[in-house]
Amino acid sequence: MITLHHVPGSRSMRVLWLLEEMGLEYALRHWSLTDGGLRGPEFRALSPAGRIPAIEIDGRTIFESGAIIEYLTETRPEAGLAPSPGEPTRADFLEWVHFAETQANILQNLNIHHIFLRPVEARSPVLTRLDTKRLEVTMRALEAHLDGREYLIGPFSGADCMLGFNIDAMFRFVRPEPFPNISAYRQRVQSRPAYRRAVAKGGGDSIYSQDFYELPDV
Ligand SMILES: N[C@@H](CCC(=O)N[C@@H](CS)C(=O)NCC(=O)O)C(=O)O
């Protein structure tokens, strides 16, 4: 049995969504980002940096969402959710899997700046603006890449689970109007039955209490 260690609305959503796309059976074990459990020895044995997700599969544990996506698609090629090593689009797949994590790290910084850091006076308007600009750079690149494309590398793949997860968070910090291709892609990926099942089983967002977070005055 596969066990996914999960927090609703966190990067484990990428893996949950892919498990649904692949039609695999799995169990979910829920954790919290805020109760200290991820820092304890039980979770650290699964994920040494104390980060979600981790997965127990095939007699071992794997941490890092990108590594899990690559492992699942490589070991279950019959699902057809990634080009195999050596195929021409393999490098495209890897680029977008890892691009998604570059972008997620900026989103994580923005979550810290806008939501998690206490006391509020410790937050830096300058860093918040800088990270918002860095997010916009990744969004402009994605917008251009999606022009004329339905999914990131042609057919739907595990790279779309990696990046599709980021989109709701992007639009909490950057307005959607200049990004029609990303908005249309969001509709496409979020209307997939597997995505809807993943949200229904794993829970939706557990981080945001506002639709949009305005930039602070500098
Ligand atoms: N590169 C890692 C990042 C994992 C990560 O930072 N996960 C967040 C949840 S989305 C987390 O566990 N945060 C807890 C913390 O930073 O203490 C991955 O893709 O799995």
Side-chain angles (χ1 to χ4, degrees), residues 55-136:
I55 194 168
E56 294 174 68
I57 184 168
D58 299 340
R60 60 162 296 161
T61 305
I62 309 176
F63 49 88
E64 288 287 335
S65 60
I68 298 168
I69 298 284
E70 287 179 41
Y71 179 86
L72 277 169
T73 53
E74 263 176 51
T75 54
R76 277 94 177 152
E78 63 283 0
L81 287 170
S84 302
E87 282 188 48
T89 54
R90 178 70 183 176
D92 302 311
F93 171 78
L94 294 173
E95 280 180 341
W96 288 104
V97 164
H98 292 270
F99 179 97
E101 193 46 20
T102 293
Q103 190 177 57
N105 278 308
I106 301 170
L107 291 166
Q108 191 162 28
N109 286 346
L110 286 168
N111 290 345
I112 291 168
H113 297 322
H114 282 285
I115 299 162
F116 291 121
L117 192 62
R118 293 279 189 273
V120 168
E121 297 69 44
R123 298 178 186 178
S124 162
V126 172
L127 289 179
T128 308
R129 282 182 171 265
L130 178 67
D131 277 317
T132 305
K133 288 281 168 224
R134 284 157 61 83
L135 175 62
E136 282 170 355

Side-chain angles (χ1 to χ4, degrees), residues 7 9-12 14 33 38-39 43 49-53 63-66 101 105 108 162 165 207:
V7 170
S10 82
R11 287 171 175 92
S12 51
R14 293 166 164 167
L33 290 182
L38 300 183
R39 299 282 170 267
F43 190 73
R51 301 291 185 96
I52 288 284
F63 49 88
E64 288 287 335
S65 60
E101 193 46 20
N105 278 308
Q108 191 162 28
M162 279 295 288
F165 157 76
I207 294 174

Side-chain angles (χ1 to χ4, degrees), residues 28-42:
L28 285 181
R29 167 109 187 252
H30 281 259
W31 295 82
S32 158
L33 290 182
T34 50
D35 70 359
L38 300 183
R39 299 282 170 267
E42 189 193 358

Side-chain angles (χ1 to χ4, degrees), residues 1-6 15-16 19-20 24-31 54-57 201-202:
M1 177 56 109
I2 296 170
T3 300
L4 174 63
H5 295 266
H6 176 62
V15 180
L16 176 52
L19 290 168
E20 286 292 336
L24 297 174
E25 284 193 25
Y26 58 89
L28 285 181
R29 167 109 187 252
H30 281 259
W31 295 82
I55 194 168
E56 294 174 68
I57 184 168
K201 290 182 188 177

